[in-house]
Amino acid sequence: MERTHNWTTEQWVKADQAHHMHPFTDYADHAVNGSRIITEADGVFLTDSDGNKILDGMAGLWCTNVGYGRKELADVAHKQMMQLPFYNTFFNTSTMPPIELAGVLAEITPEGLNHAFYASSGSEANDTIVRMVRHYWNIKGKPNKKTFISREYAYHGTTMAAASLGGMSGMHRQADLPLPGFEHVMPPYWYVFGGDMSPEEFGLAAAKAVEDKIVELGADNVAAFIGEPIQGAGAVIIPPETYWPEIQRICEKYDILLIADEVICGFGRTGNWFGSDHFNIKPDLMPIAKGLTSGYLPLSAVMTTDDVKETLGRGGDFEHGFTYSGHPVACAVALANIEIIKRENLVEKVHSDTGPYLGERLAELEDHPLVGEVRHLGLIASIELAKNKETRELFDPSLSVGPTCKNHCSDNGLVMRATRDVMVMSPPLIISRDEIDMLVDRARKALDATAVDFGVM
Ligand code: PXG
């Protein structure tokens, strides 16, 4: 591709350091160590500016579900840009792609979710939900129902309301969050919080933490509970099977809206269209993003029930929206992306072929001296590194065992994230069995090198 600059890697890195502020980056470190520059990608492989080929075990940032290099998506974007690159959806105007897409989303999302409100990111979708839910309870004549209950280690985005919904203490500290009206309870994270309980017992205990919080606050003050079906950025926390049915029961008992954040779990990641399908969750509101366009363009949506839509309809203008709500090019790409997922049976493939195969291959790592637990569903997985496999004691975070392993992954041509000392992965849904072998073999090499570094091998 033609570029203005024909620079060396060193020159790109310098220019990046000079003017580009990155998200979630330590600027002092970046000024010294710079960034790896990714130049192109195809299938499940990235290429960097030095020509290294890297297996992308993270699907970009949990999003390139149909993989890289899909000409079909570029062609659709080109065609839509030539026909109508932009028009807004405010004030009773519309364009065709968001209309078509809303119909498709109503079909593929869980039963009862029939309406789509568009935004461009998961954070915006969650901010939209906060606005919708507060307005909803005002219209219902219950203006005290305002507080959101979420979980520690939850990730719902980085805008002020989305970060308040999130349960990341580091993010809260930097911006004096959470805002008033956001409460957090224990996540269904058996490995760390389960103690002597079986996972099933602990699932019920973690759900009871939600009920206890509702009782403490008073159900008349609680608006909604939000949870990712599987907590992604929190390090792929897969709840015990007892958890979600109990959460569903509690939300119904106390008349609390249930929000399933499907930004990561949606569009086939778990081997079902949505994580809610796997856990049989019946949400009132559902943010989606990432896999909606496989990351080819920014797009998100909030899916809602008839009840939410009809209630908002009694409140006059819903005074909320973004210039790019229902962007025609992004919506056209989303339609083509969903078409690819259907045509190539990617959800079914993850469910009964590549998902179980990844699980089998990862299970082989469980006897590794560094590995405490492997968590896995479909093509989302994590490897919890532990100091003591028997007692589930974790490493001292200051040792940076996870980040060390992540660097060894990079050296071995694999992108795998480290969250605390948990290695997380979510490869593109098109990954083949051979590529899964390559992923797991490279992960094992990185684990071995890390074990040597820390003297446990
Ligand atoms: N909800 C969930 C469940 C997410 O995972 C968002 C909302 C926010 O989406 P936007 O599009 O505003 O980023 C996310 C985003 C990580 C990582 O380090 C995870 C996300 C984003 C960036 C990094 O795991 N998830």
Side-chain angles (χ1 to χ4, degrees):
M1 169 172 184
E2 285 292 308
R3 298 237 92 89
T4 318
H5 300 290
N6 193 13
W7 285 339
T8 61
T9 293
E10 201 185 330
Q11 288 170 313
W12 281 110
V13 170
K14 277 220 168 80
D16 185 56
Q17 287 166 319
H19 302 294
H20 183 188
M21 289 179 79
H22 293 241
F24 283 88
T25 293
D26 174 336
Y27 297 126
D29 174 81
H30 182 248
V32 177
N33 293 317
S35 301
R36 183 174 217 173
I37 316 281
I38 303 299
T39 52
E40 55 193 291
D42 191 37
V44 299
F45 291 98
L46 307 166
T47 306
D48 72 11
S49 54
D50 292 325
N52 295 306
K53 241 183 139 189
I54 310 152
L55 175 55
D56 184 7
M58 281 305 298
L61 215 40
W62 320 80
C63 57
T64 47
N65 288 15
V66 300
Y68 299 96
R70 294 283 190 167
K71 182 170 181 302
E72 188 178 339
L73 297 186
D75 289 345
V76 163
H78 179 259
K79 196 164 162 224
Q80 183 60 46
M81 279 192 189
M82 294 310 292
Q83 185 182 330
L84 181 70
F86 176 76
Y87 200 74
N88 72 75
T89 55
F90 281 46
F91 321 128
N92 296 59
T93 49
S94 198
T95 67
M96 289 172 181
I99 300 174
E100 277 191 74
L101 179 60
V104 170
L105 291 174
E107 248 170 56
I108 63 175
T109 53
E111 200 189 329
L113 296 172
N114 292 327
H115 312 282
F117 185 103
Y118 296 109
S120 301
S121 68
S123 301
E124 288 174 345
N126 278 321
D127 264 42
T128 297
I129 283 178
V130 173
R131 297 279 300 272
M132 280 182 173
V133 166
R134 291 199 164 158
H135 190 35
Y136 172 96
W137 286 120
N138 286 340
I139 296 166
K140 287 263 183 185
K142 296 187 175 175
N144 293 330
K145 273 176 99 64
K146 288 290 157 61
T147 298
F148 288 77
I149 299 178
S150 176
R151 289 92 56 88
E152 289 150 16
Y153 297 128
Y155 191 92
H156 299 295
T158 56
T159 53
M160 293 294 274
S164 296
L165 285 171
M168 300 293 189
S169 52
M171 288 168 71
H172 288 171
R173 264 197 304 278
Q174 289 189 353
D176 302 318
L177 299 174
L179 298 169
F182 295 88
E183 298 279 337
H184 300 85
V185 299
M186 175 176 68
Y189 189 1
W190 174 80
Y191 198 81
V192 168
F193 298 106
D196 294 334
M197 281 181 261
S198 69
E200 290 68 31
E201 287 166 344
F202 175 68
L204 296 177
K208 184 160 183 301
V210 176
E211 184 161 25
D212 290 348
K213 181 57 83 177
I214 294 169
V215 170
E216 176 197 321
L217 296 167
D220 289 348
N221 299 315
V222 179
F225 171 81
I226 184 167
E228 305 149 74
I230 292 173
Q231 285 174 251
V236 185
I237 302 168
I238 305 181
E241 291 293 331
T242 48
Y243 182 75
W244 277 112
E246 187 62 3
I247 292 287
Q248 185 83 45
R249 183 192 70 76
I250 291 166
C251 288
E252 281 164 20
K253 176 174 173 192
Y254 295 100
D255 195 18
I256 284 162
L257 294 171
L258 176 51
I259 307 159
D261 185 336
E262 294 271 5
V263 168
I264 283 180
C265 291
F267 299 95
R269 175 64 48 206
T270 66
N272 280 285
W273 271 98
F274 294 92
S276 292
D277 298 326
H278 175 82
F279 292 107
N280 199 20
I281 306 168
K282 296 181 177 55
D284 298 288
L285 300 114
M286 189 176 103
I288 53 179
K290 294 190 189 273
L292 170 58
T293 58
S294 285
Y296 277 66
L297 281 175
L299 182 69
S300 66
V302 175
M303 299 302 299
T304 71
T305 57
D306 293 347
D307 171 46
V308 171
K309 163 100 188 280
E310 282 159 17
T311 302
L312 297 182
R314 288 194 268 118
D317 260 13
F318 180 44
E319 301 199 2
H320 177 76
F322 306 97
T323 303
Y324 300 128
S325 287
H327 194 287
V329 183
C331 288
V333 167
L335 279 163
N337 172 62
I338 292 167
E339 191 48 45
I340 292 173
I341 297 175
K342 286 183 177 170
R343 193 175 62 225
E344 298 184 5
N345 289 319
L346 291 180
V347 180
E348 175 52 27
K349 188 170 160 230
V350 173
H351 186 270
S352 46
D353 180 13
T354 47
Y357 186 64
L358 177 68
E360 263 171 52
R361 290 297 330 266
L362 286 176
E364 293 168 19
L365 298 177
E366 275 181 329
D367 61 7
H368 191 280
L370 278 182
V371 175
E373 178 182 66
V374 169
R375 297 189 282 273
H376 155 263
L377 182 69
L379 287 179
I380 184 169
S382 60
I383 305 169
E384 180 97 43
L385 308 182
K387 186 173 173 188
N388 186 321
K389 286 157 108 67
E390 298 307 313
T391 62
R392 314 206 299 263
E393 185 191 351
L394 301 180
F395 287 103
D396 179 345
S398 68
L399 294 173
S400 293
V401 180
T404 304
C405 185
K406 181 195 138 186
N407 291 338
H408 284 304
C409 288
S410 281
D411 295 344
N412 280 294
L414 173 65
V415 176
M416 188 158 63
R417 288 277 320 279
T419 298
R420 303 182 301 280
D421 291 332
V422 189
M423 308 312 297
V424 302
M425 72 202 83
S426 105
L429 307 188
I430 51 149
I431 193 168
S432 67
R433 284 178 172 238
D434 285 349
E435 289 158 347
I436 288 173
D437 287 339
M438 190 185 281
L439 187 159
V440 177
D441 293 346
R442 289 180 185 187
R444 182 181 277 281
K445 275 201 189 125
L447 286 167
D448 287 350
T450 309
V452 170
D453 288 345
F454 289 92
V456 295
M457 232 171 112

